[in-house]
C-alpha cells in the first residue's frame, strides 16, 4: 500500500525467507511456498526491497533504522510461545510447535536434515489445540510417527450448535481438521484427549524424554472472580509413552528484545501498545500492526491492520492520505 502510494519501502526479515508464519509456520500441504515466492517477486518488481537474515534488535541495530527511515512499522508477529511449566521440562525431545514446523518446512524445501526434528517411529504428544496443534499432528502423521496424541485443557465442544449459539453467530462446535482426520485414518481413533494437561516430563538416564505423566482437569468457579478455571482432579494421573513433545499452547505476544530496542510501550499482554483503533506507538515515528499489536490472531486481521496502519503512516508523512 505504501509503495503504491509512492513511498520507498524496505522490509527487514529475520529469517532467510520472507513470509513469517505463512512461510515457515504453515506446512507445505496447507500452503505451497511457490505462492509466497510469486507474491514476493511481484512486490519486488513494484519496487519493494526485502532484506533477509536481518534480526532487528540483534544483528541489525534498531537505532540505525530509526535514523535512516522516516517511519518504521513493527509487524513482527506474536512470536513468543507459551511454555509448559512442569517437572522435567529440560528433557531432550521437547520442542515448541513453530520451531518444529519451521524445521520441517526447511527440510521439505531443501532436503537437508540439519536441525530437522524427525518423528518417525516415535510416540508423539502435541500439547494444545487450534490450527498450530493440528498442523503438528498432520506433520507427525506424515513423517511416520508411531503414535500421536493431542491433549487439550478445555472440554470438548459440542458436535452441533448449542441453543445459546444460534446462526449467524460463529459456530462453537467441535471441528475435525485435516491433521486429526489423517491421524484417525492412520491409527483408527481421534488423537485428541480433552481436559488433560502434563504434570511431569519423565526422562531416562541420558536425559531423553521417555514418558509423560498426564492429569485430568475439571472446571471450577473461582470464589473471588467468578471465573471458571481448569484444576487438577486428584488421583487422576496416568502415564503415556512419549519420546517427543510439541508444545502448541499459543503465544504470549511480542518478544521483548524488539520492543526494548525500539523503546515502545507494551500492554499487560505484552502486545505493542497504541491508542484504541490507532497504530502509532509511544515512540516517535514508530507504528505497529498485526499480531504484535493485537495478539495472536488470523491472517485476515494481519492484512486489515497492515492496510489501516499504512494509511495512518501515509497520513503522518504527507498530512493527508488517499489510501
Amino acid at each position: 500500500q505504501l509503495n503504491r502510494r509512492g513511498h520507498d519501502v524496505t522490509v527487514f526479515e529475520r529469517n532467510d525467507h520472507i513470509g513469517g508464519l505463512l512461510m515457515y509456520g504453515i506446512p507445505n500441504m496447507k500452503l505451497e511456498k511457490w505462492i509466497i515466492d510469486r507474491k514476493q517477486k511481484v512486490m519486488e518488481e513494484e519496487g519493494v526491497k526485502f532484506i533477509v537474515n536481518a534480526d532487528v534488535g540483534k544483528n541489525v541495530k534498531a537505532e540505525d533504522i530509526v535514523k535512516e527511515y522516516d517511519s518504521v512499522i513493527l509487524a513482527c508477529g506474536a512470536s513468543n510461545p507459551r511454555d509448559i511449566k512442569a517437572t522435567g521440562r529440560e528433557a531432550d525431545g521437547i520442542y515448541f510447535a513453530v520451531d518444529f514446523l519451521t524445521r520441517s518446512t526447511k527440510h521439505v524445501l531443501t532436503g537437508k536434515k540439519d536441525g530437522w526434528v524427525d518423528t518417525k517411529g516415535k510416540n508423539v504428544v502435541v500439547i494444545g489445540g487450534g490450527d498450530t496443534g493440528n498442523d503438528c499432528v498432520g506433520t507427525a502423521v506424515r513423517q511416520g510417527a508411531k503414535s500421536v496424541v493431542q491433549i487439550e485443557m478445555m472440554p470438548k465442544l459440542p458436535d452441533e450448535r448449542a441453543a445459546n449459539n444460534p446462526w449467524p453467530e460463529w459456530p462453537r462446535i467441535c471441528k475435525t481438521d485435516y491433521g486429526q482426520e489423517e491421524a484417525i485414518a492412520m491409527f483408527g481413533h481421534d488423537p485428541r484427549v480433552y481436559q488433560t494437561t502434563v504434570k511431569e516430563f519423565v526422562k531416562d538416564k541420558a536425559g531423553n524424554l521417555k514418558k509423560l505423566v498426564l492429569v485430568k482437569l475439571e472446571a471450577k468457579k473461582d470464589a473471588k472472580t467468578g471465573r471458571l478455571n481448569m484444576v487438577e482432579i486428584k488421583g487422576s494421573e496416568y502415564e503415556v509413552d512419549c519420546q517427543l513433545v510439541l508444545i502448541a499452547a499459543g503465544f504470549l505476544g511480542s518478544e521483548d528484545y524488539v520492543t526494548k530496542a525500539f523503546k515502545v510501550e507494551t500492554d499487560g499482554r505484552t502486545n505493542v501498545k497504541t491508542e484504541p483503533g490507532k497504530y502509532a506507538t509511544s515512540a516517535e515515528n514508530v507504528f505497529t500492526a498485526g499480531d504484535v499489536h493485537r495478539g495472536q490472531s488470523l491472517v485476515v486481521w494481519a492484512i486489515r491492520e497492515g492496510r489501516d496502519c499504512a494509511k495512518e503512516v501515509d497520513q503522518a508523512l504527507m498530512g493527508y492520505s488517499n489510501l
Side-chain angles (χ1 to χ4, degrees):
Q1 292 289 294
L2 287 165
N3 177 70
R4 290 174 182 177
R5 176 81 162 99
H7 299 295
D8 192 21
V9 179
T10 302
V11 178
F12 289 84
E13 166 60 55
R14 70 176 174 179
N15 283 317
D16 58 3
H17 198 296
I18 71 155
L21 282 177
L22 292 178
M23 183 63 200
Y24 287 130
I26 297 177
N28 285 41
M29 61 266 201
K30 199 170 177 182
L31 175 65
E32 294 183 64
K33 305 313 173 187
W34 64 263
I35 296 171
I36 296 171
D37 292 336
R38 179 182 65 184
K39 186 64 177 178
Q40 178 180 351
K41 186 177 180 181
V42 169
M43 294 174 76
E44 285 176 333
E45 289 176 351
E46 290 179 342
V48 178
K49 293 184 270 307
F50 294 98
I51 301 174
V52 296
N53 298 310
D55 196 352
V56 180
K58 291 186 177 178
N59 67 351
V60 177
K61 292 182 178 178
E63 54 263 36
D64 291 344
I65 291 178
V66 171
K67 285 179 185 176
E68 184 176 350
Y69 295 90
D70 299 303
S71 290
V72 177
I73 299 171
L74 303 180
C76 315
S79 49
N80 188 16
R82 183 179 283 109
D83 205 350
I84 301 295
K85 303 295 184 183
T87 304
R89 172 63 179 83
E90 71 282 358
D92 291 332
I94 303 172
Y95 301 89
F96 288 116
V98 171
D99 185 29
F100 165 71
L101 294 170
T102 296
R103 296 181 187 202
S104 177
T105 298
K106 287 184 176 181
H107 169 66
V108 170
L109 293 176
T110 66
K112 296 178 181 178
K113 294 189 176 182
D114 298 343
W116 179 41
V117 180
D118 188 6
T119 64
K120 187 173 183 179
K122 295 179 181 177
N123 297 301
V124 179
V125 171
V126 179
I127 303 175
D131 291 336
T132 304
N134 171 70
D135 290 338
C136 288
V137 171
T139 301
V141 169
R142 288 173 180 238
Q143 286 184 356
K146 183 178 180 181
S147 69
V148 180
V149 174
Q150 183 180 15
I151 61 174
E152 300 189 30
M153 290 183 67
M154 302 307 293
K156 181 179 181 291
L157 291 172
D159 292 322
E160 297 180 356
R161 285 179 182 269
N164 63 353
N165 179 216
W167 186 90
E169 290 181 359
W170 182 262
R172 295 190 295 276
I173 58 175
C174 181
K175 296 178 182 177
T176 301
D177 212 328
Y178 78 94
Q180 287 108 17
E181 288 175 349
E182 292 181 6
I184 292 168
M186 178 64 68
F187 305 115
H189 60 85
D190 195 315
R192 289 170 290 189
V193 178
Y194 298 93
Q195 292 182 243
T196 302
T197 192
V198 176
K199 189 161 187 176
E200 183 181 355
F201 299 98
V202 182
K203 56 188 177 180
D204 60 20
K205 291 180 180 179
N208 298 312
L209 184 69
K210 67 175 184 177
K211 61 184 177 181
L212 300 182
V213 177
L214 303 181
V215 62
K216 303 298 288 184
L217 305 171
E218 62 180 342
K220 282 193 175 181
K221 188 174 287 188
D222 188 292
K224 292 182 179 179
T225 65
R227 291 179 61 183
L228 283 175
N229 296 320
M230 300 304 293
V231 298
E232 292 184 11
I233 300 174
K234 289 184 179 180
S236 66
E237 295 88 350
Y238 66 100
E239 295 181 352
V240 295
D241 289 334
C242 176
Q243 295 81 48
L244 199 143
V245 163
L246 304 173
I247 300 175
F251 299 87
L252 296 172
S254 63
E255 296 194 67
D256 62 3
Y257 79 88
V258 177
T259 55
K260 287 177 179 176
F262 284 97
K263 299 173 182 170
V264 296
E265 291 182 19
T266 56
D267 61 20
R269 298 171 61 200
T270 73
N271 300 324
V272 177
K273 190 176 181 179
T274 66
E275 291 182 20
K278 301 291 185 181
Y279 299 89
T281 71
S282 58
E284 187 178 6
N285 300 326
V286 179
F287 299 78
T288 188
D291 285 7
V292 75
H293 177 225
R294 65 180 290 111
Q296 182 184 359
S297 191
L298 302 172
V299 172
V300 288
W301 267 114
I303 295 169
R304 172 60 186 267
E305 289 224 337
R307 288 172 175 268
D308 289 349
C309 180
K311 183 173 183 177
E312 192 169 314
V313 171
D314 187 37
Q315 180 85 33
L317 292 170
M318 305 300 293
Y320 74 101
S321 180
N322 59 10
L323 291 176

